[in-house]
């Protein structure tokens, strides 16, 4: 998908719950220049374990291709990370997320497994939505060119 589709999907805060597994709601509460404050709720699941997540995060656009996420408040001990978009040439994009997420009330090993599984599911959901939006864009282009 082109860079603009990837960026639009990452920053579609009001609709994240529609395509991110485990997310029940995502709502913009404030915009300050490059910073968007977003309240989110959901649940992390792994096997028989689950952990409710209620957070308010600051999402900061860092040109040209980085979106940083930082915990402002909520029931996680720590949440900080960033999406990085790297154009790879020939209309290819490498999208990565790196960061640290720590649950408050879980033993370290169990909390790590739970959060890792949750991040993987959410990242796959984001990629599926990017692919879906790109397929729609291509279909519209084909219809226009007919």
């Amino acid at each position: 998908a082109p860079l603009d589709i990837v960026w639009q999907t990452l920053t579609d805060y009001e609709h994240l719950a529609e395509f991110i597994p485990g997310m029940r709601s995502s709502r913009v509460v404030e915009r300050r220049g490059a910073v968007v404050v977003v309240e989110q709720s959901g649940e992390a699941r792994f096997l028989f374990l689950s952990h409710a997540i209620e957070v308010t995060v600051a999402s900061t656009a860092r040109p040209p291709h980085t979106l940083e996420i930082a915990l402002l408040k909520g029931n996680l001990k720590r949440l900080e990370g960033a999406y990085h978009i790297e154009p790879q040439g020939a209309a290819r994009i490498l999208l990565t997320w790196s960061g640290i997420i720590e649950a408050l009330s879980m033993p370290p090993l169990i909390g790590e497994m739970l959060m890792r599984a949750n991040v993987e599911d959410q990242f796959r959901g984001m990629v599926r939505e990017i692919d879906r939006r790109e397929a729609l864009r291509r279909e519209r282009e084909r219809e226009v060119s007919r």
Side-chain angles (χ1 to χ4, degrees):
L3 180 67
D4 63 324
I5 296 280
V6 175
W7 190 260
Q8 289 167 8
T9 307
L10 289 176
T11 58
D12 191 2
Y13 306 108
E14 297 289 348
H15 296 100
L16 292 178
E18 295 172 16
F19 55 85
I20 299 294
M23 188 174 290
R24 280 192 311 274
S25 68
S26 180
R27 178 176 81 85
V28 172
V29 293
E30 184 180 352
R31 291 182 186 271
R32 288 179 268 141
V35 178
V36 180
V37 178
V38 185
E39 287 180 346
Q40 296 177 326
S41 67
E43 184 175 57
R45 293 184 161 278
F46 179 68
L47 300 174
F48 59 90
L49 301 170
S50 67
H51 180 73
I53 298 175
E54 305 285 334
V55 295
T56 301
V57 297
S59 179
T60 305
R62 300 273 186 222
H65 311 299
T66 299
L67 187 64
E68 295 177 349
I69 310 297
L71 180 68
L72 298 176
K73 65 181 180 178
N75 67 345
L76 292 177
K77 181 177 182 181
R78 189 171 174 194
L79 169 58
E80 58 189 55
Y83 284 99
H84 302 280
I85 305 167
E86 298 175 44
Q88 301 290 296
R92 292 182 50 90
I93 298 285
L94 175 63
L95 174 63
T96 58
W97 186 89
S98 60
I100 297 172
I101 302 173
E102 290 181 68
L104 275 174
S105 59
M106 302 191 102
L109 184 57
I110 292 172
E112 180 181 335
M113 289 187 310
L114 179 74
M115 290 300 143
R116 183 176 300 273
N118 188 59
V119 167
E120 288 174 5
D121 285 348
Q122 290 186 344
F123 194 85
R124 279 190 210 99
M126 184 69 73
V127 170
R128 279 191 303 272
E129 180 64 9
I130 290 167
D131 287 344
R132 185 189 75 77
R133 291 179 184 202
E134 173 57 5
L136 286 174
R137 184 192 68 79
R138 287 181 181 179
E139 181 60 31
R140 283 192 298 269
E141 275 185 358
R142 278 193 291 274
E143 289 175 6
V144 168
S145 66
R146 288 183 192 171

